[in-house]
Amino acid sequence: MNLLTRSSFKLFSQPGFTNAIAIAVALLFASTPLKSLASTNDFDVLCYHDVSKTPPKDAYGITLAQLQEQFEFLQKNYAIVSIDDVILASQGKKTLPAKAVLITFDDGLASFYDLVYPLLKRYKLPAVFAVVGKWVEDGKAPDYGYADVNPPMVTWKQLKEMSDSGLVAVVSHTYDMHHGHIFNPQGNEQASAGFLRFNLESKSFETEKDFFARVKTDLAKNEDLIRKHIGKNYPLIVWPYGTYNGLSQKAATELGMPMQFSIDKGLNNTGNLTLVHRGMLLSHYSLSTFAEGMKTSFVYEAPVRAVSVDLDSLWVGSEDESNVNLGKLNDKTAEVRPNLALIQTFSAKGEAYFPTSQLTMKANFFPRVAHILQNRSRVEKVYAAVPLQYLKNSPNPEQLIHDLATYSDIDGIFFDSRGAGAKKIEKLIEQAMKTGSEMRPSWNYGLIGPVSSIKTDKFKYIIKDFYWGSSKSKLSKTVREFQDPKMPTMPTMIASFDAKNVAGIPESYKKMRDLGLNNFFLPISLNSYTDLSFLKINFHSTNSPFSFSQDEQK
């Protein structure tokens, strides 16, 4: 994978590269915890929302019948634990049982008291109930899940009753941050607790100082309400939409809530509760889907179908014209359905596509493109491609990464070390990752290029290119060399097609499949690649059974 600027394409034509068929094969090392490697005090967390007697209109809701069969399945096959059990285990005061599961419900809906609480009592199951203080005070939620639907909320009296039962832990879901606000000049919205607010009238961003004060004031107000009505607080915050940043994390920690609950899927361990993963239950889940999800913590490792996006060809100097190009990219991406995208962050001339004080900004376009790919095109993972030479040449690389993290809705960064030289690369990457994670604690990182002088255990992904001739046996030998038996998990091989041989991509794809490879990357920018029929057949990623169905997405 590469940045796909005009300058980065030149890397493929440097002296010393083979004249044989230049097929780059990239390595992707995935670090998702596996159940087969489960250790002491591992636990899963389930995330529920609304429950109804009839089929829900909201994708996040399930029926009472579904909930009952899921509870019965859990009782027979897993060990349900309370949040107190998790906290005590984190303090070394107890050990969680094998196959431990924590049940959580979000938002404070009245359906929890009417339908869920009776089931908890029947099965004697503990649960965490995260409430939005303002919604409880108002007695309803505004436009919950879809327009003009305002479901009733529980009352403080009901919450106190459930808390006193010993089965329900009432925790904070913020006082009034369960909504989005505008976070870029184009008017896109993101979670209030995760992004600085953008004012369309003044054309300015909320300051980090004001953001921190706003979030901390909100969290303190909800903690005070819970303490007043329930009598106790828990050291955790359940973030709306699972979205937060380093500033909101700091605000919560200062208020005694160091445990941060997200909606990222994955297995947890009480040794690290700063980011707690949860599997979200959706309306289309059958019992068999639920059972399969429990085996993998609702993580689904689909074959990788990765693409790149070149902003130099999307941005044409004006917002209106560039939005036309973005619309075309969205349509193409929605048809192709890749599950990983790398987006160019700097122009070929070294200008930034995001707000930063460290470089000239060509346009504030990167955050919008990333947001569209994630939220409209439904690309599962979106990353920034950052050539290390830009960081090396920046007077303040930490601030550059901080700015990218502050204003962008992405999953992390791929650092491209090609052409940057080996000197001081390790320290540069370490500092950049530290800075990025301070603002976006859930970010992951990848590396593109030589790894001989770099510690690879820091990365979730490693992309390493190598070139091969026409001999299949030679390629097979090379592939085996990358399958290091010392690695805790076998690396996933992702084959990258030759950027200089666009016409040969379909033939290369067949050769790769014949060799047993099943993960592919398109180094030609998706917005300029024209063989759509090939992509629609071969680059359409497998849908996860644990994500939204097409009907739910609509």
Side-chain angles (χ1 to χ4, degrees), residues 12-271:
F12 291 95
S13 59
Q14 296 301 313
F17 283 152
T18 178
N19 291 324
I21 302 174
I23 301 294
V25 179
L27 288 179
L28 183 68
F29 295 94
S31 64
T32 303
L34 300 177
K35 286 296 183 68
S36 59
L37 302 177
S39 59
T40 302
N41 285 333
D42 283 346
F43 67 102
D44 281 304
V45 184
L46 302 180
C47 174
Y48 291 93
H49 288 81
D50 198 10
V51 177
S52 58
K53 293 182 178 180
T54 57
K57 297 179 181 179
D58 187 347
Y60 299 100
I62 65 172
T63 65
L64 181 60
Q66 284 176 294
L67 182 64
Q68 184 169 341
E69 66 179 2
Q70 289 173 11
F71 276 2
E72 290 177 352
F73 175 85
L74 291 172
Q75 275 206 316
K76 293 177 182 177
N77 299 282
Y78 291 85
I80 309 303
V81 297
S82 69
I83 188 61
D84 295 294
D85 294 327
V86 171
I87 293 171
L88 289 173
S90 72
Q91 298 169 345
K93 297 178 180 179
K94 73 177 304 179
T95 300
L96 295 184
K99 301 174 72 174
V101 176
L102 178 67
I103 297 172
T104 69
F105 284 80
D106 288 2
D107 297 345
L109 297 164
S111 61
F112 182 87
Y113 181 80
D114 296 335
L115 301 177
V116 180
Y117 182 47
L119 281 187
L120 296 178
K121 290 189 292 183
R122 180 191 307 175
Y123 296 115
K124 295 181 174 58
L125 298 178
V128 174
F129 192 33
V131 299
V132 181
K134 190 176 188 306
W135 291 0
V136 175
E137 290 187 325
D138 293 345
K140 62 182 180 180
D143 301 340
Y144 186 82
Y146 39 92
D148 302 323
V149 174
N150 310 111
M153 298 289 112
V154 291
T155 66
W156 288 115
K157 181 179 179 181
Q158 291 169 337
L159 288 169
K160 175 64 172 170
E161 175 192 337
M162 292 188 289
S163 176
D164 289 345
S165 73
L167 293 175
V168 179
V170 179
V171 304
S172 178
H173 204 30
T174 76
Y175 175 73
D176 188 21
M177 289 194 291
H178 201 299
H179 58 80
H181 62 212
I182 292 173
F183 87 110
N184 64 22
Q186 294 86 1
N188 297 123
E189 291 193 354
Q190 251 297 354
S192 175
F195 292 85
L196 306 186
R197 182 188 292 117
F198 184 80
N199 189 311
L200 292 175
E201 293 184 2
S202 65
K203 300 185 185 304
S204 62
F205 286 95
E206 178 182 30
T207 67
E208 292 184 25
K209 181 180 179 180
D210 289 343
F211 172 89
F212 180 81
R214 171 172 62 80
V215 171
K216 191 171 183 179
T217 298
D218 178 285
L219 296 179
K221 185 172 183 176
N222 213 39
E223 284 294 273
D224 289 343
L225 279 173
I226 293 173
R227 187 180 303 109
K228 173 185 175 182
H229 292 284
I230 308 302
K232 62 179 178 179
N233 300 101
Y234 285 87
L236 66 92
I237 175 67
V238 178
W239 292 109
Y241 319 108
T243 304
Y244 63 102
N245 62 30
L247 295 174
S248 44
Q249 181 185 45
K250 180 182 177 183
T253 301
E254 288 184 1
L255 291 169
M257 296 180 283
M259 298 168 60
Q260 321 274 314
F261 279 55
S262 73
I263 53 172
D264 295 329
K265 302 177 180 70
L267 187 64
N268 302 286
N269 187 275
T270 58

Side-chain angles (χ1 to χ4, degrees), residues 304-306 494-495 497 509 512-513 517-521 539:
V304 176
R305 295 294 184 265
I494 298 183
F497 303 116
Y509 173 83
M512 299 287 190
R513 291 302 300 267
L517 300 177
N518 196 32
N519 303 284
F520 302 95
F521 170 65
F539 249 66

Side-chain angles (χ1 to χ4, degrees), residues 33 35 44-46 70 73-74 78 101 265-267 278-281 285-300 544-547:
K35 286 296 183 68
D44 281 304
V45 184
L46 302 180
Q70 289 173 11
F73 175 85
L74 291 172
Y78 291 85
V101 176
K265 302 177 180 70
L267 187 64
R278 297 192 294 166
M280 187 158 56
L281 283 301
Y285 283 12
S286 64
L287 183 58
S288 61
T289 301
F290 177 78
E292 286 300 309
M294 290 300 302
K295 294 177 182 178
T296 63
S297 301
F298 293 91
V299 174
Y300 178 71
S544 167
F546 315 127
S547 61

Side-chain angles (χ1 to χ4, degrees), residues 367-434:
R368 174 164 172 78
V369 174
H371 184 79
I372 294 299
L373 288 178
Q374 283 193 324
N375 295 280
R376 295 187 187 175
S377 309
R378 297 292 180 180
V379 179
E380 185 178 352
K381 299 294 181 184
V382 174
Y383 287 83
V386 176
L388 287 174
Q389 62 261 34
Y390 287 103
L391 298 186
K392 290 182 69 175
N393 295 333
S394 171
N396 190 342
E398 292 84 4
Q399 187 63 45
L400 192 66
I401 295 298
H402 177 83
D403 293 340
L404 177 63
T406 299
Y407 300 109
S408 303
D409 174 19
I410 56 177
D411 295 287
I413 296 174
F414 273 76
F415 298 105
D416 191 340
S417 64
R418 293 171 296 182
K423 190 176 181 180
K424 298 182 179 180
I425 289 296
E426 180 83 23
K427 184 177 180 180
L428 183 65
I429 292 175
E430 285 182 358
Q431 188 58 50
M433 292 172 68
K434 179 177 181 293

Side-chain angles (χ1 to χ4, degrees), residues 528-550:
S528 60
Y529 187 73
T530 57
D531 193 347
L532 187 60
S533 59
F534 166 78
L535 292 180
K536 288 172 67 175
I537 295 173
N538 302 301
F539 249 66
H540 197 100
S541 63
T542 305
N543 288 329
S544 167
F546 315 127
S547 61
F548 292 115
S549 66
Q550 290 188 356

